[in-house]
Amino acid sequence: MGIRYFALPVPPQLVNIARINPRAFLSDRHFWESWSDPPDRPEGLFLDKAWRDLQWLLDGTGEDAPRAAYELVRGAVTQYGYGWIPYDRVLDEAQVADVAKDLATISLAELYQGYTPRVSPDWAAIMDGRRDSLDTYLGKAATFTRQLAKQGLGLIYSIG
C-alpha cells in the first residue's frame, strides 16, 4: 500500500481549530457531509505517491530556499516499528494563495533541469520515467490550490 498524500479544503474560520486537532478534520465524514456539494465544495487532492517526487523537485537546490509550492508537500511520516505516524499540516488561505500563485508559474522542465544534476544518472533516469505522471499530478495540484485560493479557503493535508 505505502505512504500516500491527500489534501482537503478547510473553511478559513476553522483553520486554527484544524491546526489544533487535524485528525478531527481528516477523519470526520460528517464534517465533509455538512458542506454543500461540488462545485461549491472543492474536491480533495490526491497525489498518491507522487508527493515524494514533488518534494524533491520543489525543495530547491539546497542553496536556494524551497519554492512556495513546496509548502503543499512539506513533511514526512514518523517511522516506528512496522508502520508510521502520518504527517498532517494545515495551510491558511494566505499560504494556499501563495502556493497557487507559485504552481501557476512552474515549469516541470525547469524543475527537472535544476534537479537532475544533483542526483545520480540512474536516479535521474527513474525520475524522467515518471515525468508524465508528475505533470498530471502537478496540474491537479495547481487546479486544486487555484480553486481554493479563489474561494478563500485553507487546506489540510496528510502524508501517511
Side-chain angles (χ1 to χ4, degrees):
M1 187 121 167
I3 298 169
R4 299 177 189 274
Y5 173 105
F6 70 94
L8 299 168
V10 175
Q13 65 273 24
L14 298 178
V15 164
N16 287 332
I17 295 169
R19 285 183 171 146
I20 293 168
N21 188 4
R23 283 278 122 192
F25 285 76
L26 293 168
S27 62
D28 186 359
R29 69 178 176 83
H30 299 294
F31 172 73
W32 296 109
E33 289 173 357
S34 69
W35 278 54
S36 60
D37 291 331
D40 297 330
R41 180 194 69 217
E43 292 296 318
L45 173 64
F46 299 93
L47 296 179
D48 195 31
K49 295 179 183 186
W51 64 273
R52 187 64 181 127
D53 291 351
L54 290 174
Q55 277 186 335
W56 289 326
L57 292 171
L58 298 171
D59 190 21
T61 63
E63 298 167 5
D64 300 329
R67 298 183 66 107
Y70 180 68
E71 297 306 316
L72 187 63
V73 292
R74 178 186 297 272
V77 300
T78 302
Q79 300 283 343
Y80 75 95
Y82 292 104
W84 59 83
I85 299 169
Y87 179 86
D88 305 324
R89 184 157 184 236
V90 177
L91 302 181
D92 63 30
E93 58 273 17
Q95 291 171 301
V96 170
D98 289 343
V99 169
K101 190 180 203 180
D102 190 30
L103 285 173
T105 66
I106 284 181
S107 159
L108 194 59
E110 287 177 19
L111 289 178
Y112 269 89
Q113 203 170 23
Y115 178 77
T116 53
R118 297 183 284 150
V119 298
S120 72
D122 291 341
W123 189 248
I126 290 169
M127 287 291 289
D128 194 49
R130 300 176 184 172
R131 190 181 293 230
D132 288 340
S133 71
L134 277 179
D135 194 34
T136 300
Y137 284 116
L138 200 56
K140 288 179 181 183
T143 300
F144 177 72
T145 56
R146 182 178 62 246
Q147 190 177 25
L148 294 186
K150 184 177 175 183
Q151 294 181 18
L153 298 171
L155 67 80
I156 185 167
Y157 69 82
S158 182
I159 300 172

